[in-house]
Amino acid sequence: MFLKETTVKRGKHRYVYVQVVEGYRDEQGRVRQRVVANLGRREKLKASGELDRLAAAFTRLDPPPEGTRQRCGTLALVAVYLERLGLAEAVDRALPTHGRAQLTHGEVICALVANRLCDPRPLYDIRGWADEQGAHPLLGTPAALLNDDRLGRALDALQTVIDEVKGALCLRALERFGCEPKRLHWDFTSVSVYGSHHGSALIRFGHSSDKKAHLRQVKLGQAVSQDGVALYHRAENGARNETGVVCQALEDLKAALGRSDFLLCGDTALISEGNLRALIADRISFLAPLPSSWGYQERYLAELSPERLVPIDYVSERQRKLPAEQRTRYRGAELAWPLELEDGSQVALRALFVHSSEEQAAIRKSRAGSLQRAEEKLERIKRGLGGRYYPDVKAVERKLAQILQGTPGRFIVTEVGATDDGKPTLSYRRDQDTITDAERLDGIYCLITNLGTDHADHAALLAHFKEQEQVERGHRTLKGPLRVRPLFVQNDERIIALLAVCCFALMIYTLIERDARRHYPDGLPALGEGRTGPATARAAFHLLQDTELIHTTTGHSVEPPTPARELYQRLTTP
């Protein structure tokens, strides 16, 4: 049976009817057709929504023939994690379906999240992706219904209940996957957008984490657990100062987790007197590096010295196999840092001054290179004095203002003059005293915390701080494999919802990586190489990219590639 459109003329009018037609052979073996049901006029069916509902019904009731093989790739694994996390259930609970909807909002959001993880496509091509990779049998979502209009309406609806859905997913990740939020890593990043976005309250110019100051942006904050799972996110105005939104973000984070007994690790944007007072009042432990504006460098020079720093017993994971002489050496010393509370009382925080040999070497190498490049430019100026480009003193000074920005301007002293006939002169030298003073602070940074000495020694504090890289890795994953673009949306509501979809995808991605590391502590085959590498979600996705979906009379079965069958079985078994 199939659908057929039949045109009927009545006077000057033409009407198109949709019919269900059955093909058969008559007694002579000739192919014939007969009308089984007349569904009605096409324009009326389309206006009432019946046409889409009929299409959905036929799609759900018409599986592929038995034995059909379809390449589904990593969608088979992603579908299992979406079901375990209960994403569709969480969205549908917040957005119950009314009427005879063909798809729930939860089903649509699940399809969008799966697409971000498996093969990011624009909104208009989500339907093609779903048809190619078997979204109907794996997600229960017919590809024919994933048109861009339906996807847009799901994003509009999601934006109204994002906080409720975020909280539900956070609790489910804790309960169903056993994530431990004893330590959370918090950080903001910027997501650049293209287009003018006139009148937007969300899209603004601001400080760009990606050094793309020429583009408008959205600020996105994320909280990642100690085992690398992205549990919470928050979208903010692109021009908003990150320090100023920490308190509100923490209130939302506490509500989502249902607890406040965790250690919050952040970067310098976490540090302000107001934020620290709020954290102490809420009994939240914190750890973050002090910004230089707090004067920790002056205090180090006044109260400490290299001789007073003692070794810290910390070795990063990537350096454990190196000989001891090639490892980064850490030394530190602790001072009390007073902070006045709102009631006028004072509390003494712990300030750990850390010296890193690796950071010291990197800073000195960078400084030397910067000074060398600046001196080469100054030599070119000297050779051209009095010529076409530097005919007078003003021209030389304009060029020097460009060259001596940043580091060179601090450490190079220049003198500009002119001869009796007006030809400009230039001399320069390195300010060795200033360089010596700067070298005393090379490799020094300060960590501040309210953790007691009985909860964390110097080595533990440094280890917690070094794990801040986990949230930064989440930012890279969000902008890399998951790709916020190429989804083209314009209004603020859909942009916020799209970011939420990408962050839900990141949660699934990090849960898969957490389980892969737990099952394969010694690593998985590296991508395209004959050796073993870390068990990452990317490596797991690479191994499962040729997974096939086999349609049977009773449903479907999944057939991973031979090298990945054990991996698939372990990851899909709770």
Side-chain angles (χ1 to χ4, degrees):
M1 288 190 294
F2 58 93
L3 292 177
K4 180 180 179 181
E5 292 184 349
T6 302
T7 303
V8 176
K9 294 183 179 179
R10 292 180 182 172
K12 297 181 180 180
H13 301 285
R14 297 166 62 91
Y15 302 100
V16 179
Y17 290 87
V18 180
Q19 300 172 329
V20 179
V21 178
E22 179 185 31
Y24 70 99
R25 293 184 179 273
D26 60 12
E27 295 177 354
Q28 287 76 33
R30 292 174 296 187
V31 176
R32 300 293 186 186
Q33 296 177 355
R34 57 186 169 214
V35 177
V36 176
N38 194 338
L39 302 179
R41 282 167 49 183
R42 185 180 62 185
E43 58 270 22
K44 289 186 176 181
L45 290 172
K46 190 172 183 178
S48 64
E50 286 293 334
L51 192 61
D52 289 339
R53 279 189 280 273
L54 288 169
F58 284 124
T59 302
R60 293 182 187 272
L61 295 175
D62 187 25
E66 180 184 0
T68 301
R69 286 178 172 266
Q70 188 174 14
R71 182 180 177 276
C72 63
T74 56
L75 181 59
L77 176 64
V78 169
V80 172
Y81 274 78
L82 285 170
E83 184 177 358
R84 284 178 61 188
L85 185 62
L87 174 58
E89 179 186 351
V91 175
D92 289 338
R93 179 169 296 181
L95 295 168
T97 301
H98 301 288
R100 294 181 293 174
Q102 304 96 330
L103 287 178
T104 67
H105 289 307
E107 290 175 322
V108 177
I109 297 302
C110 273
L112 282 172
V113 170
N115 176 256
R116 294 297 94 193
L117 287 160
C118 301
D119 183 17
R121 302 273 186 96
L123 283 179
Y124 63 81
D125 201 23
I126 299 293
R127 174 175 176 173
W129 162 81
D131 189 47
E132 292 170 9
Q133 298 202 357
H136 182 193
L138 291 173
L139 299 177
T141 308
L145 301 181
L146 294 174
N147 56 71
D148 53 355
D149 178 66
R150 182 65 186 90
L151 299 176
R153 284 188 282 116
L155 291 175
D156 289 337
L158 176 63
Q159 189 274 332
T160 62
V161 294
I162 279 182
D163 290 338
E164 182 179 348
V165 175
K166 286 191 302 186
L169 293 181
C170 182
L171 290 176
R172 288 166 188 245
L174 300 181
E175 296 170 357
R176 301 184 181 186
F177 290 87
C179 299
E180 281 293 335
K182 294 180 180 178
R183 186 177 75 246
L184 294 176
H185 295 272
W186 171 261
D187 190 26
F188 265 96
T189 189
S190 56
V191 178
S192 301
V193 300
Y194 291 86
S196 58
H197 295 275
H198 292 305
S200 171
L202 182 70
I203 309 300
R204 288 284 189 272
F205 286 110
H207 174 73
S208 174
S209 304
D210 303 325
K211 302 187 185 300
K212 296 180 180 179
H214 62 291
L215 295 177
R216 292 176 173 85
Q217 63 182 15
V218 184
K219 289 289 183 69
L220 181 68
Q222 292 207 65
V224 175
S225 69
Q226 63 190 51
D227 48 2
V229 178
L231 294 175
Y232 176 82
H233 76 276
R234 181 183 179 87
E236 286 290 346
N237 182 306
R240 192 78 181 270
N241 182 280
E242 299 172 12
T243 305
V245 301
V246 169
C247 289
Q248 183 57 50
L250 287 178
E251 291 298 323
D252 295 343
L253 182 57
K254 287 194 304 179
L257 294 173
R259 56 193 293 182
S260 60
D261 56 336
F262 54 83
L263 171 63
L264 181 68
C265 299
D267 58 9
T268 55
L270 180 66
I271 301 300
S272 73
E273 291 189 358
N275 289 344
L276 297 188
R277 292 190 188 106
L279 289 168
I280 293 172
D282 290 339
R283 300 181 182 277
I284 296 177
S285 302
F286 59 84
L287 173 66
L290 276 179
S292 57
S293 59
W294 278 51
Y296 75 85
Q297 294 176 333
E298 292 78 2
R299 218 180 145 187
Y300 168 79
L301 294 173
E303 302 181 36
L304 294 174
S305 64
E307 294 74 21
R308 295 188 59 185
L309 302 181
V310 297
I312 298 178
D313 185 18
Y314 170 77
V315 180
S316 65
E317 188 68 31
R318 64 185 176 86
Q319 292 188 343
R320 291 189 184 279
K321 296 182 180 180
L322 294 178
E325 62 274 9
Q326 296 182 18
R327 296 175 181 173
T328 302
R329 296 179 301 279
Y330 295 96
R331 295 179 298 146
E334 183 177 322
L335 295 177
W337 197 283
L339 176 69
E340 185 175 344
L341 302 181
E342 293 181 354
D343 59 4
S345 61
Q346 281 197 345
V347 60
L349 304 177
R350 296 173 65 193
L352 175 62
F353 291 81
V354 179
H355 175 271
S356 165
S357 61
E358 182 181 41
E359 188 165 344
Q360 179 188 53
I363 291 174
R364 292 185 176 178
K365 181 179 179 180
S366 175
R367 181 188 298 124
S370 179
L371 294 180
Q372 181 179 351
R373 289 189 296 271
E375 289 172 340
E376 291 172 355
K377 294 177 182 178
L378 292 174
E379 281 296 323
R380 286 199 294 269
I381 294 176
K382 288 183 69 174
R383 291 194 296 268
L385 290 175
R388 175 182 176 185
Y389 296 105
Y390 311 110
D392 52 30
V393 172
K394 288 186 177 180
V396 175
E397 290 177 343
R398 283 196 299 268
K399 188 62 177 179
L400 290 181
Q402 297 176 9
I403 296 174
L404 300 179
Q405 292 182 2
T407 299
R410 291 179 56 198
F411 304 113
I412 295 180
V413 179
T414 59
E415 294 181 4
V416 181
T419 60
D420 294 338
D421 57 357
K423 179 180 178 181
T425 62
L426 171 64
S427 63
Y428 64 88
R429 63 178 176 83
R430 293 191 181 187
D431 188 346
Q432 197 58 47
D433 292 338
T434 304
I435 293 175
T436 302
D437 290 341
E439 287 180 344
R440 295 174 61 191
L441 294 170
D442 288 346
I444 294 290
Y445 54 90
C446 181
L447 304 178
I448 191 166
T449 182
N450 60 345
L451 280 175
T453 54
D454 54 335
H455 288 87
D457 59 10
H458 293 176
L461 291 177
L462 185 58
H464 293 337
F465 171 68
K466 290 295 184 179
E467 289 298 314
Q468 183 69 7
E469 188 268 342
Q470 295 203 44
V471 67
E472 295 167 358
R473 186 167 66 242
H475 293 330
R476 291 196 298 271
T477 301
L478 188 72
K479 300 176 185 180
L482 303 186
R483 301 216 315 260
V484 178
R485 294 184 299 271
L487 286 184
F488 304 105
V489 289
Q490 294 185 1
N491 62 57
D492 290 356
E493 291 76 16
R494 292 192 179 184
I495 291 173
I496 292 174
L498 167 62
L499 289 173
V501 166
C502 293
C503 290
F504 297 158
L506 181 62
M507 179 183 285
I508 297 290
Y509 189 90
T510 51
L511 285 169
I512 292 174
E513 182 161 304
R514 170 183 173 271
D515 288 348
R517 291 181 184 274
R518 181 165 54 88
H519 289 298
Y520 294 91
D522 297 328
L524 286 169
L527 307 186
E529 301 179 16
R531 62 181 179 84
T532 298
T536 63
R538 184 181 175 213
F541 281 20
H542 175 77
L543 292 171
L544 292 168
Q545 64 183 351
D546 293 325
T547 301
E548 289 188 334
L549 182 69
I550 304 173
H551 297 273
T552 64
T553 54
T554 58
H556 64 272
S557 62
V558 175
E559 186 177 287
T562 302
R565 287 181 181 174
E566 181 185 357
L567 169 68
Y568 180 80
Q569 183 178 3
R570 288 190 181 186
L571 292 180
T572 54
T573 303

